[in-house]
Amino acid sequence: LDWWHAERSCEQRFAQLLFEPQDSERGSFSKLLLTHHIRGSVWLNERDSVLHKPKRRRDHIVPVLVFGDKTDTKYVKVLSDFPALPAVTACAHLQWDTRTQEIATIFSYAVPAFINEFQLRGFIDEEGFVRFALIVHGHHSPYLPVFRADGQWHHFCVTWQQENGTWAIYADGKRRASASGLCAVGPSNPQAIYGQGTFIIGQDQDSLGGTFREKESFSGNITDLHIWQKVLSAEQIEKVRSCWVVEQDLVFGWSSNALEVESTVQEVTARFLCPGPVEECRVFEVGSSGFSYTSCLQSLPFICRYRKDAYQQLKKAQLESSHSLLGRMNMLAERTVIPENVFTSDVQDMNLSLALGALDVLTTVLRGAETPVLESSDLLAVLQLLQQVSDLEVQEGEDLEMLEQLSQYYVEVTELILEEQNIETWSSVSQVVRGPMAVVELCDRMASHLAPLLTAGRTKITVQHRNVGLHRVMVKNMWFGYGSLQRCLSGTSGSTVFQDVAASDRGQKYLSTTVGTAVISSALLSDYQEISTSVRYHLQHRVQVPPDWAMLPSSITQPDPEAVLDAGGMWSSAGCSVVTSLLDSTACFCNHTTNFAVLLQVYEMQRTTGEELTLQTLTFIGCGISFCALIVTFILFLVVGVPKSERTTVHKNLIFALAAAEALLIFSELAKNNQVLCFTVTACLHLFFMAAFSWMLVEGLLLWSKVVAVNMSEDRRMKFYYLTGWGLPVVIVGITLAASFNKYVADKHCWLNVQTNVIWAFVGPVLFILAVNTFVLFRVVIVTVSSARRRSKMLTPNSSLENQIGVQIWATAKPVLVLLPVLGLTWVCGVLVHLSIIWAYVFIVLNSLQGLYIFLVYAIYNSEVRNAIQRMKDKKKA
């Protein structure tokens, strides 16, 4: 097959054309091919990005001028009025007669003032190349080789512009020659090519419109001549070479009605196969183990390459298949619509009638009420058929009603294979076809066939079946309802669909991604070709968006060359940005057209290595100081003989629990490499930190009972306090271990798993305790300030306003400073940690030094402790 049909054949078998072997493998690979009697050249898969796009070689029905032998009579005159041309481009396809080496004139343009005003001539040199020369204002460029004289069709373009007389000659899409100075210098500036002249194809004019000579006439075939009054770019020339017309500044377009054909020149209508994007394609030379290039139109052997895992999955699907769907289809159609073996069966070329019949039968079978879940082989067979239909080449004059009906069947089949019942089937072929985004790509190809349906009276086409639809105007749109695609995406491998969408951002670690909206596709058409342009789209969310999720405007990109070509690609946010983001919708801007969706991403806070090291160092130092301070405070309470009371008992329990928790926290990093030890440390950390907070709650309750209200005896209160301080943590930890034993510990630290609901077994009670203690502190401050105000009025009734304000400020600040550490309110800063690294530093410093604060407030500046120490000194002196 030629290169394009070879590539398509491999794609339809869920494979790829052979890639270039590594240098070390060339020899052995060449021997392997020889043992299978494969010799000469075999096609290679091009790595050039141009050839990764779908290949479309158009059948172009055009009038062809056949000039036989060289004579002085055969000519064709262009019936067009030419304006003055300060710049010009002339392009055509031609076949050169290889029987003669004499100079031949492809075309000549003459005006009354200058016979050789604009002319293109050529001849075959001794090395077998056709050489061209351009003549402008009688100035002659050198003859330069442009293509081989091989009797094949070749495309050429010549360009010239008035400024500096710059000219160029292109052949088969490549620039073969260029220079400047090809101009006649007038009194002040170079002159443009004069208008109102006579344009003759196939002869050199020695007088205006006549006096031809046999030896300078053209011999061969020519078609598709177009002339523009501007210099076309290389991209436009490539477009013209592939039989697309650039309408802007077109002076003459190829048409039989615009030609005066001399009677002996034969004019035939031919189906011309337009060249592809690149004329020469890469091949592997089996005998020499080397590489070379040859015409992409040449028929050569080819090898389809499978990845090992994809091949094994295909084989498994074939072996396990019951062929029930294929059997019903082929029986209903009374012919083989879909072959049973994807490896050995030939892929048939489709025409419109065959495709319509095949999809008609397929939709009937899939719609049937008795249709079970699709088997893996059935899904692959349906995708193979859809790919064949999407590669269909719609010819001019085709029945447009059949084409529209075909698109209806195509969309319906797409919806049916995306049903929720087939989720597991998509997963089972994830290595062969990586996800249902392959269907989006196939629908995009199919939508391109609908262009002939557009007319002046019908400017848009809409084809829809439930959640899948195509819409085509000058802009091609597609949409895939959230349900139809999201169900299948969630059941397939997310690594391919969402690859590279969520590289870790500074301060965040990517956890997961989901498609949060419908998937849409958009493309702008010009002359039935897709061109890229910017687009703004607005999509409604189909899932609830939590506050820690990020909206990511995304477009689908082409898959990696090593991946399956219909793998569906990968999501990328390149070239897209969020314009507005609301809870129920997102508006985005992208600088290109393709498939679009809004992805929702959830992140976990992650910091740089330097920040992590700083926080770990502060934690270690702060916890070390705090632990030592707590131990000293605890010993003082035990040794110096502080009088027993509810308050000292609660203080001692709080200090013990907090000291144990901080000691475990200091050494938790040493245990993370031992799974059992890490689990034990995590459970103990959970227990002692929970106990510390429970005793902080008890501190708040005790304060409430002393300051605000007294409604329970001391003995009963202490039993309740012990039950709350130690009983509640044991219950919480026990229930958590029983409910989430396998998800209890985080992956990289000896602490609760923050990626599951386990973390709420700590965060939930802590938030409740902080809320209660905040309310207690608020009430205590109010009572304290009121008491201070009354005492101030009684003791110093004539004091100034400034003194009264100072007393009230101190009355407010004193309980806050004294009670903050024991009530645990410094932990409120933990809520703000995700906002900035600064809050993380504040949180670490305040809470790792909580023990030191308790030591200063409840030991050094505690009157009871100081009095007990003084009594010890006095007793020692006595």
Side-chain angles (χ1 to χ4, degrees):
L1 298 178
D2 63 37
W3 190 92
W4 285 276
H5 283 92
E7 185 198 37
R8 189 178 71 176
S9 179
C10 288
E11 284 184 14
Q12 291 178 355
R13 288 180 168 86
F14 305 103
Q16 292 176 280
L17 268 182
L18 177 70
F19 276 98
E20 177 182 316
Q22 300 293 329
D23 293 344
S24 59
E25 299 173 348
R26 291 183 187 179
S28 59
F29 184 70
S30 184
K31 290 178 182 178
L32 176 65
L33 295 182
L34 288 172
T35 59
H36 288 78
H37 309 291
I38 300 175
R39 303 179 183 276
S41 302
V42 295
W43 290 124
L44 287 177
N45 200 332
E46 288 281 352
R47 293 181 183 272
D48 190 298
S49 60
V50 173
L51 287 180
H52 286 159
K53 298 176 182 177
K55 314 306 177 302
R56 293 287 187 268
R57 296 170 58 225
R58 301 177 60 228
D59 283 340
H60 192 41
I61 301 175
V62 289
V64 177
L65 300 178
V66 180
F67 292 86
D69 296 333
K70 295 167 74 70
T71 69
D72 59 359
T73 57
K74 294 179 180 179
Y75 75 94
V76 175
K77 181 179 179 181
V78 174
L79 303 176
S80 180
D81 293 329
F82 287 87
L85 302 172
V88 64
T89 299
C91 299
H93 286 91
L94 62 76
Q95 277 182 308
W96 199 273
D97 187 352
T98 59
R99 295 173 299 172
T100 176
Q101 293 185 328
E102 293 182 336
I103 290 176
T105 304
I106 296 100
F107 64 76
S108 63
Y109 175 74
V111 295
F114 225 122
I115 297 301
N116 294 325
E117 180 67 354
F118 180 44
Q119 189 178 126
L120 182 65
R121 303 157 65 93
F123 73 94
I124 302 176
D125 65 12
E126 295 178 353
E127 297 177 355
F129 282 92
V130 175
R131 290 176 174 263
F132 276 1
L134 186 64
I135 302 174
V136 178
H137 298 315
H139 293 262
H140 203 299
S141 77
Y143 282 98
L144 297 170
V146 289
F147 55 81
R148 284 195 172 276
D150 51 12
Q152 301 294 321
W153 280 101
H154 292 275
H155 181 261
F156 75 86
C157 286
V158 293
T159 68
W160 178 87
Q161 59 183 345
Q162 176 181 345
E163 185 179 355
N164 298 326
T166 303
W167 60 275
I169 299 176
Y170 292 80
D172 299 322
K174 298 179 181 179
R175 188 168 63 179
R176 306 295 184 178
S178 63
S180 59
L182 194 64
C183 58
V185 180
S188 57
N189 294 308
Q191 297 296 306
I193 294 174
Y194 292 107
Q196 306 306 314
T198 302
F199 197 103
I200 299 293
I201 302 172
Q203 292 285 358
D204 176 22
Q205 306 173 60
D206 284 344
S207 63
L208 188 62
T211 315
F212 308 136
R213 289 188 291 179
E214 177 182 332
K215 66 178 183 178
E216 293 180 342
S217 64
F218 174 71
S219 177
N221 306 323
I222 190 168
T223 186
D224 246 6
L225 175 67
H226 292 79
I227 303 169
W228 295 264
Q229 56 179 344
K230 71 171 185 177
V231 173
L232 296 185
S233 65
E235 291 78 12
Q236 290 173 318
I237 288 175
E238 178 63 27
K239 184 177 178 181
V240 171
R241 190 176 76 91
S242 300
C243 307
W244 298 100
V245 178
V246 177
E247 299 288 351
Q248 186 179 8
D249 296 320
L250 183 66
V251 175
F252 169 72
W254 189 247
S255 172
S256 298
N257 298 328
L259 298 174
E260 178 188 301
V261 183
E262 193 269 334
S263 59
T264 58
V265 176
Q266 189 177 0
E267 184 180 9
V268 298
T269 299
R271 186 179 294 275
F272 182 72
L273 187 62
C274 297
V278 177
E279 185 203 13
E280 293 183 338
C281 294
R282 196 167 172 81
V283 294
F284 178 70
E285 302 293 349
V286 177
S288 62
S289 302
F291 303 103
S292 63
Y293 286 87
T294 189
S295 170
C296 299
L297 301 177
Q298 188 173 345
S299 293
L300 290 177
F302 62 96
I303 298 170
C304 294
R305 168 186 175 272
Y306 290 90
R307 289 179 296 106
K308 187 176 181 180
D309 50 359
Y311 182 82
Q312 290 173 343
Q313 219 170 57
L314 275 171
K315 292 292 287 185
K316 182 180 179 182
Q318 291 288 324
L319 291 172
E320 296 178 353
S321 173
S322 64
H323 302 299
S324 57
L325 180 137
L326 305 185
R328 292 199 305 275
M329 278 193 62
N330 295 334
M331 182 179 67
L332 189 61
E334 297 181 346
R335 65 181 182 86
T336 302
V337 177
I338 301 179
E340 292 186 352
N341 194 315
V342 72
F343 294 108
T344 60
S345 303
D346 289 332
V347 178
Q348 302 175 353
D349 280 335
M350 279 279 179
N351 58 40
L352 187 57
S353 178
L354 285 174
L356 184 62
L359 289 189
D360 184 10
V361 172
L362 180 57
T363 51
T364 301
V365 172
L366 291 177
R367 277 196 306 243
E370 72 283 1
T371 304
V373 176
L374 286 176
E375 296 179 353
S376 300
S377 59
D378 294 339
L379 178 59
L380 292 173
V382 171
L383 288 173
Q384 188 180 57
L385 178 61
L386 291 178
Q387 188 160 25
Q388 286 180 262
V389 175
S390 68
D391 287 332
L392 183 71
E393 303 228 353
V394 180
Q395 307 297 337
E396 293 182 21
E398 295 273 21
D399 189 335
L400 298 184
E401 290 186 4
M402 290 176 63
L403 179 60
E404 187 164 3
Q405 184 61 51
L406 179 69
S407 65
Q408 292 280 0
Y409 286 145
Y410 198 97
V411 170
E412 184 172 355
V413 170
T414 298
E415 166 66 26
L416 290 171
I417 64 176
L418 289 175
E419 290 289 350
E420 188 171 4
Q421 64 191 22
N422 295 318
I423 289 176
E424 293 300 323
T425 309
W426 279 101
S427 298
S428 68
V429 294
S430 59
Q431 298 300 323
V432 182
V433 180
R434 296 191 178 181
M437 287 305 298
V439 177
V440 177
E441 171 65 22
L442 292 177
C443 285
D444 192 47
R445 292 193 197 182
M446 183 61 200
S448 299
H449 295 320
L450 303 183
L453 297 175
L454 297 173
T455 63
R458 187 182 187 187
T459 58
K460 65 179 181 180
I461 304 125
T462 300
V463 181
Q464 184 175 6
H465 185 266
R466 290 191 289 185
N467 286 321
V468 179
L470 311 174
H471 179 71
R472 181 136 187 161
V473 200
M474 285 305 289
V475 177
K476 176 181 65 180
N477 296 315
M478 296 192 304
W479 66 94
F480 290 79
Y482 176 83
S484 64
L485 199 60
Q486 175 65 22
R487 288 194 298 267
C488 292
L489 287 175
S490 62
T492 56
S493 171
S495 60
T496 298
V497 178
F498 303 121
Q499 185 174 346
D500 294 337
V501 298
S504 292
D505 192 6
R506 185 181 184 275
Q508 294 177 321
K509 177 186 176 183
Y510 164 71
L511 293 181
S512 63
T513 303
T514 182
V515 176
T517 64
V519 176
I520 63 172
S521 175
S522 182
L524 184 65
L525 303 176
S526 175
D527 298 330
Y528 300 127
Q529 272 195 311
E530 293 183 6
I531 59 175
S532 189
T533 185
S534 60
V535 61
R536 175 171 173 160
Y537 59 96
H538 188 270
L539 292 174
Q540 297 292 321
H541 299 161
R542 301 300 180 91
V543 294
Q544 190 173 2
V545 184
D548 57 345
W549 285 41
M551 269 65 73
L552 182 70
S554 293
S555 59
I556 200 77
T557 63
Q558 291 298 318
D560 185 88
E562 297 293 337
V564 179
L565 284 181
D566 279 329
M570 296 169 291
W571 290 107
S572 170
S573 58
C576 296
S577 59
V578 174
V579 178
T580 58
S581 179
L582 305 174
L583 289 176
D584 61 344
S585 64
T586 299
C588 304
F589 173 84
C590 288
N591 61 11
H592 57 283
T593 50
T594 180
N595 304 316
F596 300 108
V598 174
L599 307 185
L600 304 178
Q601 295 184 336
V602 61
Y603 288 88
E604 177 189 43
M605 293 307 299
Q606 190 178 55
R607 301 178 180 89
T608 64
T609 305
E611 290 171 345
E612 286 288 349
L613 182 60
T614 303
L615 291 174
Q616 286 178 6
T617 303
L618 287 174
T619 301
F620 186 81
I621 295 173
C623 286
I625 295 172
S626 185
F627 175 74
C628 294
L630 289 169
I631 292 298
V632 171
T633 306
F634 189 75
I635 292 173
L636 284 174
F637 273 99
L638 292 177
V639 172
V640 302
V642 177
K644 290 185 178 181
S645 65
E646 281 184 315
R647 188 170 58 178
T648 55
T649 301
V650 172
H651 286 347
K652 283 189 285 187
N653 280 277
L654 171 60
I655 291 168
F656 176 78
L658 197 56
E662 294 198 349
L664 285 168
L665 185 62
I666 292 172
F667 296 103
S668 63
E669 285 296 305
L670 302 177
K672 66 181 181 181
N673 295 324
N674 186 311
Q675 188 175 358
V676 176
L677 185 59
C678 187
F679 188 94
T680 305
V681 168
T682 301
C684 292
L685 274 171
H686 189 192
L687 175 64
F688 283 109
F689 267 120
M690 201 69 257
F693 275 97
S694 296
W695 282 106
M696 291 176 198
L697 175 62
V698 171
E699 291 274 8
L701 296 176
L702 178 62
L703 191 61
W704 179 274
S705 68
K706 296 292 185 182
V707 178
V708 181
V710 180
N711 53 14
M712 193 183 295
S713 67
E714 185 174 332
D715 290 340
R716 292 178 61 192
R717 279 205 304 266
M718 283 311 302
K719 291 179 182 179
F720 174 73
Y721 292 160
Y722 274 111
L723 188 62
T724 303
W726 292 110
L728 184 62
V730 170
V731 171
I732 291 174
V733 173
I735 292 175
T736 306
L737 286 172
S740 306
F741 188 84
N742 295 325
K743 301 177 182 179
Y744 188 68
V745 183
D747 292 334
K748 298 180 180 179
H749 302 284
C750 296
W751 181 237
L752 302 179
N753 193 340
V754 297
Q755 297 181 20
T756 63
N757 292 327
V758 171
I759 190 62
W760 288 102
F762 176 73
V763 174
V766 166
L767 291 176
F768 172 75
I769 291 168
L770 293 179
V772 171
N773 282 355
T774 301
F775 177 72
V776 169
L777 181 62
F778 177 73
R779 290 289 295 150
V780 168
V781 168
I782 291 176
V783 171
T784 305
V785 170
S786 298
S787 299
R789 186 185 298 116
R790 287 196 300 269
R791 189 167 57 251
S792 177
K793 287 182 179 180
M794 290 172 57
L795 297 177
T796 55
N798 298 321
S799 62
S800 64
L801 179 62
E802 289 81 2
N803 290 336
Q804 292 180 17
I805 293 174
V807 169
Q808 292 181 21
I809 292 175
W810 175 243
T812 303
K814 184 178 179 180
V816 171
L817 292 173
V818 172
L819 297 175
L820 270 180
V822 293
L823 295 182
L825 297 182
T826 53
W827 285 76
V828 174
C829 296
V831 180
L832 307 174
V833 163
H834 71 285
L835 298 177
S836 170
I837 188 66
I838 303 299
W839 283 111
Y841 291 137
V842 172
F843 176 71
I844 290 291
V845 170
L846 288 178
N847 290 287
S848 62
L849 296 179
Q850 186 178 11
L852 179 61
Y853 201 93
I854 290 174
F855 171 71
L856 293 174
V857 174
Y858 293 97
I860 300 299
Y861 296 105
N862 187 339
S863 59
E864 291 182 346
V865 174
R866 293 167 69 178
N867 291 336
I869 294 174
Q870 187 62 43
R871 285 196 298 271
M872 286 181 64
K873 290 180 180 180
D874 294 341
K875 186 181 291 187
K876 192 173 182 181
K877 287 181 182 180

